[in-house]
Amino acid sequence: QRWRPDQTAILVVDMWAFHGCRPAMVRARELVGPINSVISAARKRGTFIIHVPSSGVDEMSPEYPVQRSRMLLAADACSTESSCLAAKFSHSGESVERLTEEPELPITGGGCDDDEPSPPARWDDETHAQHPDIHIFPRDGLSESAREIVGALLQKGVRHVVIM
């Protein structure tokens, strides 16, 4: 089956400017070029690109007000649970039921995938946003809200979603 570009969206998720783990920083640097190539080619064909920097939208909004406004307005298309299942959920994982306690996970190195202890992660307005080398265009979207994202997908008639 072939996907029509104008019925497709690409979500660029958590490509932050800074990661607290050295291996994550290396991977991010390696992925920036290929991600830009894919989203640039897709954008030229009419694919909708949504940038989803978890917990970084507030920091990025002043620089990208058009992209942010587009998504805020789209939330109206997904405003009630009866019209949109995503209205029940938020990006932070809050849903119908919350976990009473966090499960034990086999993580070493402070959550990094290397065994070397890492210094505390630098997390400020400069780094708490998407990687600066990921290109954001005026017709893109900027959101971390399920309601906004699903609303925008509904408004644009998107049938296929690629997550990067």
Side-chain angles (χ1 to χ4, degrees):
Q1 175 185 351
R2 294 176 79 72
W3 290 4
R4 287 182 37 189
D6 63 331
Q7 293 180 348
T8 304
I10 297 177
L11 278 60
V12 180
V13 181
D14 291 347
M15 282 299 298
W16 292 318
F18 178 82
H19 291 267
C21 303
R22 191 179 56 75
M25 290 292 289
V26 171
R27 281 192 300 272
R29 280 194 303 269
E30 291 172 355
L31 289 171
V32 166
I35 287 174
N36 270 329
S37 295
V38 168
I39 64 175
S40 292
R43 190 184 287 115
K44 287 177 186 174
R45 289 169 177 80
T47 297
F48 184 43
I49 311 300
I50 304 174
H51 302 271
V52 189
S54 300
S55 305
V57 170
D58 289 342
E59 288 81 359
M60 294 176 66
S61 291
E63 190 173 350
Y64 300 101
V66 171
Q67 295 85 341
R68 186 71 196 111
S69 295
R70 174 176 295 113
M71 300 305 288
L72 289 168
L73 293 171
D76 290 342
C78 188
S79 59
T80 65
E81 289 182 19
S82 62
S83 68
C84 182
L85 180 63
K88 290 184 178 181
F89 303 98
S90 75
H91 185 271
S92 62
E94 295 175 16
S95 63
V96 178
E97 281 183 43
R98 294 201 64 145
L99 293 174
T100 54
E101 62 183 63
E102 290 292 321
E104 290 291 323
L105 299 174
I107 297 175
T108 61
C112 297
D113 56 355
D114 59 1
D115 291 329
E116 297 181 29
S118 298
R122 179 176 155 224
W123 200 252
D124 56 32
D125 285 351
E126 182 181 324
T127 61
H128 197 197
Q130 183 169 276
H131 195 288
D133 293 336
I134 301 275
H135 304 151
I136 300 176
F137 281 65
R139 60 182 201 181
D140 293 353
L142 174 64
S143 180
E144 61 186 351
S145 160
R147 279 186 55 217
E148 294 170 8
I149 293 168
V150 172
L153 300 178
L154 290 171
Q155 283 181 338
K156 293 186 172 289
V158 170
R159 298 177 47 146
H160 310 286
V161 177
V162 176
I163 299 174
M164 301 183 92

